[in-house]
């Protein structure tokens, strides 16, 4: 009897494992689609356009140098966006088994709230739920740090989550948000460069004399290359522009749709410290590395500078504890002098 139940458990685990493997493979389909388009565009531009169509050697060299410079940095940013590990919640935010048991045994919402408030009183959290309670993830069993959210696709909470992007098969969040912005920007430049440099030959293909001289296959590749580059450029303009707007206002996509809640209430500009400081928070304080796909974002993804009115200099958790101003200064993030918001201590 016991052996048959064990066999059933093994079979069920095997079925779940195979299903999970299939699901993980399906998630890579959008990425493979993008990679296929990029590989084809490389062949169409370098071989069909530059080597088989462009007659002038100087023009060909200029096209090849410009194209490969954009191609390399674009693919570098795309690689970083895909394969950078998501920021995971530190262990200090996780409730120990005893606290999880207390939370499960609490029979009222107020009792559950008190359990979470007591545990979170020494954690650097300022965000709250719409009811003013500490944000807690029942699936991960930990207090959510500020700006962290649970991703149903990744199956865990992610630091400063922006959104889950199927085109990179990864969460766009604190650890790779800069890479995602650069990926969009360089993809846009890549498409614009291809469209502008192939435009002359695209127009020439409508002339009878040129049509008689060029091979049909080359004509097809270049015509299709122009249309695809223009189509992707149009779609990338709005997306890249929107994320530039979010960077300058220090908001994530989730925060743009639903403002973060502080003790004083919702505030969509709660993390905005001015456009230049907001830009530095994502791209870093060294201008030499701003536009390179290297991680230079300020902070640790757990604690973020907030506007002065949201600084918890006199935090009172359910009336049970008070945090001194000196303690809050120690907890405040120290990403850059330009980003620091002074906390005025009471006399």
């Amino acid at each position: 009897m016991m052996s048959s139940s064990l066999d059933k458990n093994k079979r069920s685990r095997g079925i779940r494992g195979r299903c999970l493997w299939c699901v993980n493979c399906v998630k890579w389909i959008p990425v493979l689609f993008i990679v296929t388009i990029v590989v084809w565009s490389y062949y169409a531009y370098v071989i069909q356009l530059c080597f088989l169509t462009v007659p002038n050697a100087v023009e060909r060299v200029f096209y090849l140098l410009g194209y490969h410079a954009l191609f390399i940095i674009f693919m570098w940013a795309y690689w970083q966006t895909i394969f950078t590990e998501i920021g995971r919640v530190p262990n200090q935010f996780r409730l120990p088994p005893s606290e999880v048991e207390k939370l499960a045994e609490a029979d009222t919402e107020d009792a559950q709230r008190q359990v979470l408030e007591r545990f979170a009183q020494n954690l650097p959290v300022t965000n709250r739920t719409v009811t003013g309670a500490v944000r807690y993830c029942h699936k991960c069993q930990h207090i959510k740090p500020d700006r962290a959210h649970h991703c149903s696709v990744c199956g865990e909470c992610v630091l400063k989550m922006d959104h889950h992007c199927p085109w990179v098969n990864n969460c766009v969040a604190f650890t790779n948000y800069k890479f995602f912005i650069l990926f969009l920007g360089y993809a846009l430049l890549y498409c614009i460069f291809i469209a502008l440099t192939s435009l002359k030959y695209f127009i020439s293909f409508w002339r009878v004399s040129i049509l008689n001289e060029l091979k049909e296959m080359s004509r097809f590749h270049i015509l299709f290359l122009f249309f695809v580059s223009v189509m992707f450029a149009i779609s990338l303009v709005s997306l890249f522009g929107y994320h530039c707007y979010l960077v300058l206002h220090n908001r994530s996509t989730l925060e743009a749709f639903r403002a973060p809640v502080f003790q004083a209430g919702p505030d969509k500009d709660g993390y905005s410290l001015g456009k230049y400081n907001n830009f530095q928070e994502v791209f870093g304080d060294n201008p030499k590395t701003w536009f390179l796909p290297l991680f230079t974002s300020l902070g640790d993804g757990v604690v973020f500078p907030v506007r002065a009115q949201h600084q918890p200099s006199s935090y009172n958790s359910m009336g049970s504890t008070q945090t001194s101003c000196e303690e809050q200064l120690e907890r405040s993030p120290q990403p850059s002098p330009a980003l620091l918001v002074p906390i005025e201590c009471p006399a």
Side-chain angles (χ1 to χ4, degrees), residues 105-117:
E105 292 175 351
D107 52 0
T108 64
E109 185 176 339
D110 286 340
Q112 293 178 347
R113 182 168 174 167
Q114 289 179 9
V115 172
L116 296 176
E117 288 281 358

Side-chain angles (χ1 to χ4, degrees), residues 91-316:
N91 287 331
Q92 72 240 41
F93 289 83
R94 186 176 300 278
L95 266 67
S98 59
E99 294 297 318
V100 174
E101 187 177 348
K102 289 180 183 178
L103 189 64
E105 292 175 351
D107 52 0
T108 64
E109 185 176 339
D110 286 340
Q112 293 178 347
R113 182 168 174 167
Q114 289 179 9
V115 172
L116 296 176
E117 288 281 358
R118 281 195 299 268
F119 182 79
Q121 64 186 9
N122 293 320
L123 295 176
V125 290
T126 59
N127 285 170
R128 293 291 186 267
T129 65
V130 291
T131 61
V134 172
R135 299 191 313 137
Y136 175 73
C137 180
H138 291 275
K139 294 181 179 179
C140 300
Q141 295 183 342
H142 57 219
I143 303 295
K144 292 181 182 180
D146 291 349
R147 313 184 83 174
H149 297 274
H150 186 88
C151 175
S152 58
V153 180
C154 295
E156 57 185 306
C157 287
V158 182
L159 297 179
K160 196 191 174 184
M161 179 179 172
D162 187 89
H163 68 286
H164 187 93
C165 181
W167 300 108
V168 301
N169 192 28
N170 200 4
C171 260
V172 177
F174 173 74
T175 56
N176 66 350
Y177 188 56
K178 176 190 174 183
F179 305 145
F180 179 73
I181 298 293
L182 293 179
F183 158 63
L184 294 179
Y186 288 128
L188 177 60
L189 291 177
Y190 178 79
C191 293
I192 291 175
F193 181 84
I194 290 176
L196 292 179
T197 53
S198 62
L199 177 61
K200 178 173 68 173
Y201 300 95
F202 171 80
I203 296 173
S204 297
F205 283 147
W206 298 106
R207 298 176 182 175
V208 178
S209 60
I210 299 296
L211 286 174
N212 292 333
E213 295 176 3
L214 295 173
K215 296 179 180 180
E216 288 293 324
M217 188 57 69
S218 296
R219 184 181 65 169
F220 165 77
H221 280 291
I222 295 172
L223 289 175
F224 196 59
L225 180 67
F226 177 79
F227 279 121
V228 170
S229 62
V230 170
M231 180 185 67
F232 274 94
I234 292 173
S235 62
L236 285 168
V237 164
S238 58
L239 186 59
F240 178 64
Y242 177 66
H243 279 280
C244 288
Y245 170 84
L246 293 180
V247 168
L248 295 178
H249 290 80
N250 207 336
R251 299 175 198 163
S252 66
T253 299
L254 295 176
E255 291 166 352
F257 285 96
R258 186 168 61 184
V261 181
F262 299 87
Q263 285 187 310
D267 185 0
K268 63 180 181 180
D269 295 318
Y271 293 105
S272 182
L273 307 173
K275 289 181 172 57
Y276 181 67
N277 289 336
N278 295 339
F279 176 86
Q280 278 192 310
E281 191 169 305
V282 175
F283 287 86
D285 51 10
N286 184 1
K288 295 179 181 179
T289 58
W290 278 350
F291 304 112
L292 293 177
L294 301 171
F295 182 79
T296 55
S297 299
L298 303 180
D300 57 4
V302 176
V303 182
F304 297 90
V306 295
R307 293 165 72 91
Q309 62 266 33
H310 301 304
Q311 288 282 353
S313 56
S314 58
Y315 179 76
N316 188 344

